[in-house]
Amino acid sequence: MVKSTKVTTKFCRKVKMGNLSLFIAEYQRVTALFIDILWDMDKIPVLLDKGITSQIQTWLSARALQAAGKQASAIVRGTKAKQSRRLWQINKFNSQGMFKKARKLQQIYDKNIASKPLIGDIKPELDSRFVKIDLDNDTIFDGWVTLASLGNKLTIKIPFKKTKHFNKMLASGTLKAGVRLSKDSITFGFELEEPKERRSEEHTSE
């Protein structure tokens, strides 16, 4: 089970904050272009080949370009899967004579069928190839996140202070190597054990 918690980026120096904003904006632009390419494809690849990635002009590194493409693929596949589930439910409602519910869901389906996902607030998801997390340092901060392999020779070091929730997650779980970024925050993931009650329920259901 994975849970997440956020810390603020407000302790980052102005120059580093500008570089972070620059990277996020370019990552979002590239992700949007990938979504445009993938949207009309019948079969959406999980990992994009060079035939697709070569269509994008960007200063992002090859690794960051790959990460943006993977995230775009997940967004498109998730959106299309949601539409498929809606269509299945519409057919089920009709077969059961629940025509009012079917019409209502059909309206939602029709409204979204041609709508590409909105990605204006997409948050780059970076794994251990880009991220180094340091929780053991002699500075006034509790930790540092170093971002590298972004492209344009950018290396961004972001200091942060732990929150109560961060400490709680750290005490009960394992910190994952990747992060999710925004201009205002960094989101960390923690691998936690399933609650005993849930494990017991799952075992009983088997």
Side-chain angles (χ1 to χ4, degrees), residues 8-195:
T8 180
T9 60
K10 69 179 182 180
F11 303 110
C12 193
R13 290 184 177 179
K14 188 174 181 180
V15 172
K16 296 296 184 181
M17 184 63 76
N19 287 337
L20 179 62
S21 297
L22 181 70
F23 169 73
I24 291 174
E26 180 65 5
Y27 188 100
Q28 290 175 336
R29 185 188 74 84
V30 168
T31 303
L33 292 175
F34 277 134
I35 287 175
D36 286 341
I37 294 171
L38 296 172
W39 186 251
D40 294 324
M41 295 176 64
D42 292 328
K43 187 175 181 180
I44 313 299
V46 175
L47 298 177
L48 309 191
D49 59 34
K50 289 186 178 180
I52 298 176
T53 58
S54 63
Q55 299 179 48
I56 306 297
Q57 297 297 317
T58 179
W59 54 260
L60 292 180
S61 69
R63 284 182 178 179
L65 187 65
Q66 184 185 62
K70 183 178 180 181
Q71 199 165 345
S73 172
I75 291 169
V76 172
R77 287 183 288 111
T79 301
K80 288 182 177 288
K82 185 180 290 186
Q83 281 293 84
S84 295
R85 290 193 295 271
R86 284 174 178 149
L87 186 59
W88 179 86
Q89 189 63 59
I90 289 168
N91 292 331
K92 183 177 181 180
F93 282 151
N94 282 324
S95 68
Q96 295 175 340
M98 304 170 71
F99 303 117
K100 185 175 180 180
K101 288 186 176 181
R103 285 194 300 270
K104 186 175 181 179
L105 190 55
Q106 184 73 52
Q107 290 175 352
I108 297 173
Y109 178 87
D110 293 342
K111 181 179 179 181
N112 288 277
I113 194 169
S115 300
K116 294 178 186 176
L118 298 176
I119 56 89
D121 193 36
I122 191 171
K123 296 175 175 59
E125 296 178 359
L126 304 180
D127 59 28
S128 59
R129 296 174 298 169
F130 307 91
V131 180
K132 179 182 177 182
I133 303 171
D134 178 13
L135 299 180
D136 184 16
N137 63 88
D138 296 325
T139 70
I140 62 172
F141 299 105
D142 297 324
W144 291 77
V145 172
T146 301
L147 305 175
S149 298
L150 305 177
N152 211 26
K153 298 182 179 180
L154 284 181
T155 297
I156 307 172
K157 295 187 70 174
I158 306 172
F160 67 91
K161 293 190 175 182
K162 298 173 184 175
T163 63
K164 289 182 179 180
H165 191 244
F166 185 101
N167 286 329
K168 180 180 178 181
M169 294 294 99
L170 188 62
S172 56
T174 302
L175 178 64
K176 294 177 68 66
V179 297
R180 187 164 64 246
L181 298 173
S182 77
K183 295 175 184 178
D184 302 318
S185 66
I186 301 173
T187 301
F188 296 92
F190 290 87
E191 191 76 40
L192 304 175
E193 288 189 9
E194 290 282 353

